[in-house]
């Protein structure tokens, strides 16, 4: 969330003898001091005794004790500057514009954002108010927030001076309101429009009574009383056309209300709203708001939680205006209208499922967020902030789950992960693009129509693994025969080596990659024979693909084609291998030990995983009971071996 400053540093400057030090002493002691030093010591007012509950430092300046360099240092450090003048001294009033305000601009820059308060002291000696002569100065110098007349002797408006100074820092006018035009600044309109869109839960461009009260609860911890809400709508209706439509508040009415708050001096109302939605004093979303700290340890991955998926699905439904289960370009643009830019490029249409028109489907939309969260979780956290996740949640961290270290999964022989990453390797033209697009249930005829400029190296979709829905992410790795795979590439849950049944030299690549990178690691590996609709030619290698897999205890080569229908079983097998990475090792532990005859059927059933092309991956149905039996078998074998 946007937060207030840690402290407020108020600097008092002005001509000698205008009463700067007297003002400070009168505030602190609550009485006028007859004996006044040339300069007051720096004073700190604790947070619990200030209206805004922020520590406040008050700094005095004396031309007698300090030189210009010291003044410039204090001016640079100040949060707000009070220029004190005497209402009885015309020269001190003139020097506001001839000396002090130009001096501050010279030190801070012509367009500086440090607020200035003009403080007219000794009003107890004046026979008439002098504020009228100050108004033109406020119009000419936009950095001047306000002017306060006071008396250090009678204590009149002393606390108000420092209250307005504090308020000028915590609730500044300049970022949100242009007094010359008497309207909100463009930045303020942009920020409040974003807030309006987030609060417009039904996407009808209006805030209903329910939506207004949810907004009030979020920002001010209490809904509006029904009569108060009617009064607000009545004010909007009287002062602006189309501010109220169908008894609901429009964006125009919402912006008018905030303009009115500021014109009435209730800056804190608008700033409370802005800070609740993550904005700082420059109307930028704070770093802590868009990038909360999330620790992801070695071997861990990041996935969306149920809350994260629920928020994103609700957002999809909100902007799917025609209820067709897809987001057309206009709907997609509207969905991300609260964001500074789109999170995805045009290749998203070749990464996830779309309809025939290329519009992203609901499942494809969630799949893309799944991919983003796995590969670039800071981006997910950033866009959840832009999209308004915090409106119903404390932080977007509740939308992301950090999985446990993969080593723990291997030790416990089970995983709680729902997203699995598969690296896809193969020689040139073996069919990697078709294989990736097949995961999106696209056949070869569809692939032939794809825009080659927007092809993606990723595809992601859901796959059923023993009745549970898991996400499988395919990543095509661009690697030549001479290249070495980096640790990042090898950081995956399963590997897929593709060869072309019509190209006699294509399997050699698979064999080389396996022997060079995968033979000694724990990454499950599957060999896939692409273009299986054609007769298979003999490969120029000393072993056939089947013999190679048998020798190195890999599952037999899986045949894949997507000419018309797609061999979906291959994706199920990959997801299953990723979900049960210990399965291969357990099978071979069983195969090398003697076992009683009553175990033969069980073991044969499991062994089929690596000896039969069609059985176990689809039909094993390993549930809790089967896993318990398998664990018991292993225990018996290990115990017997001792």
């Amino acid at each position: 969330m946007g937060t207030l400053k840690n402290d407020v540093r108020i600097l008092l400057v002005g001509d000698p003898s205008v009463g700067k030090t007297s003002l400070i002493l009168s505030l602190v002691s609550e009485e006028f001091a007859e004996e006044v030093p040339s300069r007051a010591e720096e004073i700190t007012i604790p947070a619990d005794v200030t209206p805004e509950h922020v520590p406040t430092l008050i700094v005095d300046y004396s031309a007698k004790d300090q030189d210009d360099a010291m003044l410039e240092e204090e001016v640079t450090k100040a949060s707000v500057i009070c220029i004190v003048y005497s209402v009885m001294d015309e020269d001190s009033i003139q020097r506001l514009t001839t000396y002090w305000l130009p001096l501050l601009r010279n030190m801070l820059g012509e367009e500086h954002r440090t607020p200035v308060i003009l403080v007219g002291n000794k009003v107890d000696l004046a026979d008439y108010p002098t504020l009228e002569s100050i108004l033109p100065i406020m119009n000419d110098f936009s950095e001047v927030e306000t002017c306060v007349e006071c008396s250090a002797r009678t204590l009149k408006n002393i606390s108000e001076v420092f209250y307005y100074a504090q308020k000028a820092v915590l609730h500044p006018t300049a970022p949100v309101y242009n007094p010359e035009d008497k309207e909100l600044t463009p930045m303020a309109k942009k920020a409040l429009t974003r807030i309006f869109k987030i609060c417009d839960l039904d996407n009808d461009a209006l805030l209903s009574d329910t939506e207004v009260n949810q907004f009030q609860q979020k920002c001010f911890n209490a809904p509006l009383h029904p009569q108060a809400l009617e009064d607000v709508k009545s004010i909007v209706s009287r002062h602006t056309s189309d501010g109220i439509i169908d008894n609901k508040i429009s964006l125009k009415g919402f912006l008018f209300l905030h303009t009115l708050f500021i014109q009435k001096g209730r800056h804190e109302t608008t700033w409370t709203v802005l800070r609740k939605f993550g904005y700082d004093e420059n109307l930028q979303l704070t770093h802590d708001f868009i990038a909360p700290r999330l620790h992801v340890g070695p071997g861990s991955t990041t996935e969306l939680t149920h809350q994260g998926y629920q928020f994103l699905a609700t957002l999809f439904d909100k902007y799917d205006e025609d209820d067709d289960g897809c987001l057309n370009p206009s709907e997609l643009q509207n969905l991300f209208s609260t964001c500074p830019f789109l999170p995805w490029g045009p290749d998203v249409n070749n990464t996830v499922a779309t309809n025939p028109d290329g519009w992203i489907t609901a499942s494809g939309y969630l799949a893309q967020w799944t991919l983003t969260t796995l590969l670039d979780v800071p981006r997910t956290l950033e866009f959840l902030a832009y999209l308004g996740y915090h409106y119903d949640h404390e932080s977007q961290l509740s939308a992301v789950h950090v999985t446990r270290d993969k080593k723990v999964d291997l030790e416990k022989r089970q995983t709680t992960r729902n997203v699995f990453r598969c690296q896809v390797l193969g020689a040139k033209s073996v069919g990697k693009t078709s294989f990736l697009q097949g995961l999106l249930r696209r056949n070869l005829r569809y692939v032939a129509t794809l825009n080659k400029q927007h092809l993606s190296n990723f595809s992601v979709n859901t796959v059923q693994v023993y009745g549970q829905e898991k996400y499988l992410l395919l990543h095509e790795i661009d690697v030549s025969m001479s290249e070495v795979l980096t640790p990042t590439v090898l950081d995956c849950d399963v590997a897929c080596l593709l060869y072309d049944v019509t190209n006699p030299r294509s399997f050699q690549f698979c064999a080389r990659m396996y022997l060079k990178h995968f033979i000694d690691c724990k990454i499950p590996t599957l060999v896939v024979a692409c273009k299986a609709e054609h007769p298979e030619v003999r490969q120029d290698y000393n072993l056939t693909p089947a013999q190679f897999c048998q020798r190195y205890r890999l599952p037999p080569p899986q045949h894949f084609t997507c000419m018309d229908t797609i061999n979906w079983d291959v994706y199920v097998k990959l997801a299953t291998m990723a979900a049960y990475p210990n399965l291969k090792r357990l099978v071979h532990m069983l195969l090398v030990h003697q076992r009683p005859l009553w175990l033969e059927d069980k073991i044969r059933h499991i062994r089929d995983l690596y000896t039969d092309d069609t059985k176990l991956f689809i039909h094993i149905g390993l549930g809790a009971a089967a896993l318990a039996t398998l664990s018991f078998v292993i225990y018996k074998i290990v115990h017997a071996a001792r």
Side-chain angles (χ1 to χ4, degrees):
M1 299 294 174
T3 56
L4 296 176
K5 288 180 174 290
N6 294 328
D7 57 46
V8 173
R9 189 177 182 88
I10 303 173
L11 172 64
L12 274 69
V13 300
D15 292 344
S17 303
V18 293
K20 302 184 297 297
T21 306
S22 293
L23 285 174
I24 296 172
L25 297 180
S26 292
L27 174 73
V28 174
S29 64
E30 297 185 353
E31 61 181 11
F32 180 69
E34 297 292 344
E35 297 285 333
V36 180
S38 61
R39 178 172 174 263
E41 295 295 323
E42 183 175 308
I43 294 171
T44 300
I45 301 176
D48 56 357
V49 297
T50 64
E52 299 291 347
H53 305 290
V54 176
T56 301
L57 291 77
I58 302 176
V59 182
D60 194 7
Y61 162 74
S62 170
K64 181 179 179 181
D65 298 342
Q66 296 169 289
D67 58 22
D68 289 346
M70 297 174 71
L71 172 61
E72 185 166 2
E73 181 183 354
E74 288 295 349
V75 166
T76 304
K77 293 193 298 184
S79 308
V80 56
I81 300 169
C82 294
I83 306 178
V84 184
Y85 64 95
S86 169
V87 299
M88 301 299 295
D89 185 348
E90 187 63 33
D91 286 343
S92 73
I93 296 176
Q94 291 294 328
R95 278 172 57 83
L96 293 175
T97 55
T98 61
Y99 180 76
W100 285 109
L101 286 165
L103 177 69
L104 296 182
R105 285 189 173 183
N106 184 55
M107 291 179 174
L108 297 172
E110 287 289 325
E111 303 296 327
H112 76 84
R113 300 294 291 271
T114 302
V116 174
I117 306 293
L118 302 182
V119 180
N121 191 22
K122 305 183 182 181
V123 72
D124 57 298
L125 302 177
D127 295 327
Y128 52 86
T130 61
L131 279 179
E132 285 190 11
S133 62
I134 302 299
L135 289 177
I137 300 176
M138 296 177 64
N139 291 331
D140 292 340
F141 292 84
S142 60
E143 61 267 38
V144 177
E145 285 279 327
T146 190
C147 178
V148 184
E149 290 189 341
C150 63
S151 170
R153 181 177 295 276
T154 65
L155 307 185
K156 180 180 179 180
N157 288 344
I158 294 297
S159 59
E160 280 79 0
V161 169
F162 297 98
Y163 167 72
Y164 281 113
Q166 193 182 59
K167 184 176 178 180
V169 177
L170 303 179
H171 312 303
T173 300
V176 295
Y177 186 72
N178 187 329
E180 294 180 6
D181 299 332
K182 296 183 179 180
E183 63 178 30
L184 297 171
T185 63
M187 289 287 287
K189 289 180 182 178
K190 182 178 179 181
L192 291 168
T193 298
R194 171 180 169 267
I195 292 169
F196 180 91
K197 288 182 177 181
I198 289 172
C199 299
D200 177 18
L201 300 178
D202 58 6
N203 196 33
D204 66 348
L206 300 167
L207 294 184
S208 66
D209 290 359
T210 300
E211 289 168 337
V212 169
N213 277 320
Q214 285 181 269
F215 166 79
Q216 284 289 127
Q217 187 71 48
K218 168 71 177 179
C219 297
F220 306 103
N221 301 316
L224 278 176
H225 187 276
Q227 186 56 52
L229 179 54
E230 289 304 315
D231 291 344
V232 166
K233 289 192 286 187
S234 177
I235 292 171
V236 173
S237 182
R238 286 201 307 270
H239 290 86
T240 179
S241 61
D242 300 326
I244 302 295
I245 299 174
D246 295 334
N247 202 33
K248 300 176 184 178
I249 300 175
S250 68
L251 174 60
K252 186 177 179 180
F254 185 73
L255 296 178
F256 165 77
L257 280 173
H258 286 283
T259 305
L260 188 63
F261 292 147
I262 295 168
Q263 289 174 343
K264 297 292 185 182
R266 291 174 54 190
H267 300 59
E268 64 275 11
T269 301
T270 297
W271 276 109
T272 297
V273 171
L274 290 167
R275 288 199 167 97
K276 284 289 185 179
F277 283 83
Y279 291 95
D280 63 14
E281 64 272 15
N282 297 313
L283 293 184
Q284 300 293 326
L285 293 175
T286 66
H287 178 75
D288 289 344
F289 178 75
I290 63 175
R293 294 185 63 183
L294 178 69
H295 175 70
V296 183
S300 296
T301 59
T302 43
E303 301 179 358
L304 287 167
T305 63
H306 173 71
Q307 286 176 295
Y309 279 118
Q310 188 175 46
F311 169 78
L312 292 167
T314 300
L315 198 67
F316 183 97
D317 292 339
K318 172 180 175 178
Y319 287 96
D320 179 18
E321 297 181 23
D322 53 11
D323 293 322
D324 65 347
C326 302
L327 293 179
N328 62 41
S330 174
E331 291 169 340
L332 191 66
Q333 197 76 31
N334 289 339
L335 188 148
F336 289 116
S337 63
T338 60
C339 308
F341 52 90
L342 295 177
W344 312 317
D347 60 346
V348 66
N349 287 0
N350 294 326
T351 304
V352 298
T354 63
N355 73 355
D357 294 317
W359 301 347
I360 193 167
T361 64
S363 62
Y365 164 84
L366 295 179
Q368 180 64 27
W369 280 117
T370 300
L371 179 148
T372 304
T373 305
L374 181 70
L375 302 183
D376 189 3
V377 70
R379 172 160 288 214
T380 292
L381 294 173
E382 179 182 359
F383 273 84
L384 285 173
Y386 294 147
L387 293 167
Y389 181 83
H390 64 286
Y391 192 50
D392 288 320
H393 305 85
E394 187 64 29
S395 161
Q396 56 266 48
L397 290 178
S398 64
V400 174
H401 167 65
V402 179
T403 66
R404 67 189 182 192
D405 191 332
K406 193 183 297 184
K407 292 178 182 177
V408 178
D409 284 349
L410 291 171
E411 290 170 3
K412 294 183 176 293
R413 297 173 183 168
Q414 60 180 354
T415 182
T416 57
R417 299 186 186 203
N418 293 306
V419 185
F420 301 114
R421 184 170 181 171
C422 172
Q423 309 293 44
V424 179
L425 298 94
K428 187 177 180 180
S429 302
V430 297
K432 296 187 292 294
T433 298
S434 297
F435 187 74
L436 263 66
Q437 292 298 307
L439 181 62
L440 308 180
R441 299 189 180 275
R442 294 169 174 172
N443 61 25
L444 199 59
R445 301 178 195 280
Y446 185 97
V447 172
T449 68
L450 292 178
N451 185 336
K452 305 301 181 186
Q453 292 181 331
H454 296 154
L455 286 179
S456 173
N457 290 328
F458 295 93
S459 65
V460 58
N461 205 349
T462 54
V463 176
Q464 290 287 324
V465 177
Y466 303 138
Q468 293 186 324
E469 191 172 81
K470 304 290 185 180
Y471 278 98
L472 178 64
L473 168 65
L474 300 183
H475 180 197
E476 178 186 339
I477 305 300
D478 184 15
V479 59
S480 68
M481 292 287 287
S482 60
E483 287 179 301
V484 175
L485 298 183
T486 64
T488 302
V489 171
L490 292 172
D491 182 19
C492 60
D493 300 294
V494 63
C496 182
L497 303 176
L498 305 184
Y499 74 94
D500 177 358
V501 300
T502 68
N503 182 350
R505 296 182 179 181
S506 61
F507 179 72
Q508 182 182 5
F509 177 92
C510 298
R512 180 166 176 167
M513 286 294 104
Y514 180 78
L515 296 175
K516 190 173 184 178
H517 299 292
F518 297 102
I519 189 170
D520 293 324
C521 71
K522 295 181 179 179
I523 300 173
T525 305
L526 186 68
V527 175
V528 174
C530 293
K531 305 181 185 178
E533 68 273 11
H534 300 289
E536 185 162 1
V537 301
R538 182 174 180 81
Q539 293 292 321
D540 293 342
Y541 192 71
N542 58 342
L543 296 174
T544 66
Q547 290 170 337
F548 182 90
C549 292
Q550 187 174 23
R551 171 172 291 188
Y552 294 103
R553 297 177 178 178
L554 296 174
Q558 306 299 304
H559 290 81
F560 177 77
T561 179
C562 61
M563 176 61 76
D564 291 306
T565 58
I566 297 161
N567 286 18
W568 187 256
D569 292 354
V570 173
Y571 304 116
V572 176
K573 292 175 184 180
L574 285 169
T576 305
M577 292 172 72
Y580 297 94
N582 272 300
L583 207 52
K584 172 184 174 182
R585 187 164 61 87
L586 296 180
V587 168
H588 291 298
M589 283 179 63
L590 293 172
L591 291 175
V592 298
H593 289 83
Q594 290 184 341
R595 62 269 181 187
L597 292 175
W598 64 271
L599 286 177
E600 286 295 336
D601 288 341
K602 292 281 185 185
I603 294 171
R604 186 180 301 109
H605 190 48
I606 297 172
R607 184 174 55 195
D608 284 345
L609 171 62
Y610 287 90
T611 59
D612 190 297
D613 188 29
T614 60
K615 293 182 181 178
L616 185 65
F617 273 106
I618 309 305
H619 304 296
I620 186 173
L622 275 176
L627 285 173
T629 302
L630 190 59
S631 300
F632 176 73
V633 170
I634 294 167
Y635 166 79
K636 296 280 286 183
I637 291 171
V638 173
H639 184 74
R642 293 177 180 172

